[in-house]
């Protein structure tokens, strides 16, 4: 049906702005929000396993979140409203470690952002409300979730906060530790490797008569 335009975000490897082809007429519009073949041709061969939607009021600042062991690639967009989306590269050994990127995502623009594994992610709602969509490459594991304060001075994200805006954030997000060495994420083992390791450990325990 359609096609996509992929644009790498500055010099940050793996981070892409994605623009779908939109077909509009007097009835409205139609677009492909995701097509595995098109993404694969662009070198993005992730497999998504979970879709999430969130609705947030103006001034809500969610994040910046990441999972330490079950790292998630994310394809994000705005279904209704407008947000400022910001990510930080926390991949251990990355040449852009600690760098951030931000962009406005909106239902009007119909633009998307692909965030690879190894990034902290968050967004600020600029419109009265916003419905935010996530496609995730791994499942949500609340016990594995961590984050970085949205206003961390070391990273220094320039959030577009109007003078009359009140920031709304959760108690949990306000208690994230500051950015530092402990924030770095090692490359995630693929799922087959993880399962093989678990199986080997179980077999070892069995052979020793512990199970």
């Amino acid at each position: 049906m359609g096609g996509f335009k992929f644009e790498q975000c500055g010099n940050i490897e793996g981070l892409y702005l994605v623009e779908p082809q939109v077909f509009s007429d007097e009835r409205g519009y139609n677009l492909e929000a995701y097509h595995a073949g098109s993404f694969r041709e662009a070198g993005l061969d992730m497999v998504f396993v979970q879709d999430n939607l969130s609705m947030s009021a103006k001034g809500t600042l969610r994040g910046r979140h990441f999972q330490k062991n079950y790292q998630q690639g994310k394809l994000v967009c705005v279904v209704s409203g407008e947000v400022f989306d910001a990510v930080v590269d926390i991949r251990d050994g990355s040449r852009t470690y600690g760098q951030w990127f931000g962009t406005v995502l909106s239902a009007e623009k119909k633009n998307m952002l692909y965030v690879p594994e190894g990034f902290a992610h968050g967004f600020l709602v600029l419109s009265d409300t916003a419905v935010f969509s996530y496609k995730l490459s791994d499942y949500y594991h609340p016990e594995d979730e961590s984050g970085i304060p949205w206003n961390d001075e070391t990273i220094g994200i320039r959030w577009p906060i109007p003078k009359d805006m009140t920031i709304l954030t959760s108690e949990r997000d306000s208690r994230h530790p500051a950015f530092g060495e402990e924030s770095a994420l090692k490359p995630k083992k693929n799922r087959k490797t993880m399962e093989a390791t678990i199986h080997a450990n179980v077999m070892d325990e069995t052979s020793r008569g512990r199970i």
Side-chain angles (χ1 to χ4, degrees):
M1 170 187 164
F4 297 85
K5 177 182 177 182
F6 298 89
E7 179 183 353
Q8 182 170 300
C9 302
N11 64 339
I12 303 180
E13 185 178 353
L15 182 67
Y16 286 91
L17 287 167
V18 183
E19 295 183 12
Q21 186 174 6
V22 182
F23 299 88
S24 302
D25 59 25
E26 64 277 6
R27 300 169 298 170
Y29 71 88
N30 195 0
L31 61 83
E32 287 183 350
Y34 172 70
H35 187 282
S38 297
F39 275 65
R40 194 159 46 244
E41 288 177 5
L44 303 176
D45 58 356
M46 77 298 290
V47 176
F48 294 118
V49 298
Q50 181 174 327
D51 284 16
N52 286 9
L53 284 176
S54 69
M55 193 282 286
S56 307
K58 186 174 185 177
T60 296
L61 209 157
R62 296 186 184 269
R64 293 173 306 236
H65 303 145
F66 60 91
Q67 293 190 163
K68 293 175 285 187
N69 298 302
Y70 298 92
Q71 297 171 31
Q72 297 169 308
K74 302 176 180 180
L75 180 63
V76 299
C77 67
V78 173
V79 178
S80 173
E82 181 177 78
V83 310
F84 180 78
D85 198 277
V87 299
V88 182
D89 185 354
I90 55 173
R91 297 173 293 188
D92 187 44
S94 170
R95 61 188 175 85
T96 52
Y97 177 77
Q99 288 189 24
W100 67 274
F101 175 83
T103 190
V104 173
L105 302 178
S106 72
E108 181 179 0
K109 291 182 178 179
K110 302 175 183 59
N111 54 342
M112 297 180 279
L113 181 67
Y114 175 67
V115 185
E117 296 170 0
F119 281 69
H121 171 261
F123 64 87
L124 169 66
V125 178
L126 304 176
S127 50
D128 289 339
T129 61
V131 177
F132 195 83
S133 171
Y134 314 69
K135 293 185 78 68
L136 305 171
S137 67
D138 208 333
Y139 299 106
Y140 174 54
H141 294 268
E143 75 286 351
D144 190 47
E145 189 174 43
S146 188
I148 301 169
W150 67 270
N151 55 353
D152 187 276
E153 294 182 357
T154 301
I155 295 173
I157 290 179
R158 295 188 294 273
W159 299 96
I161 303 174
K163 291 183 179 180
D164 60 347
M165 177 180 282
T166 300
I167 296 299
L168 307 173
T169 189
S170 69
E171 180 181 351
R172 181 190 61 178
D173 283 352
S174 67
R175 292 187 280 105
H176 290 315
F179 177 72
E181 292 183 3
E182 66 280 359
S183 303
L185 295 180
K186 301 290 185 182
K188 187 180 77 171
K189 295 180 180 178
N190 64 52
R191 189 166 294 278
K192 288 185 178 179
T193 301
M194 292 173 67
E195 291 174 350
T197 301
I198 293 171
H199 177 72
N201 289 339
V202 170
M203 293 301 292
D204 183 59
E205 293 295 308
T206 302
S207 66
R208 296 182 185 186
R210 295 178 182 176
I211 296 180

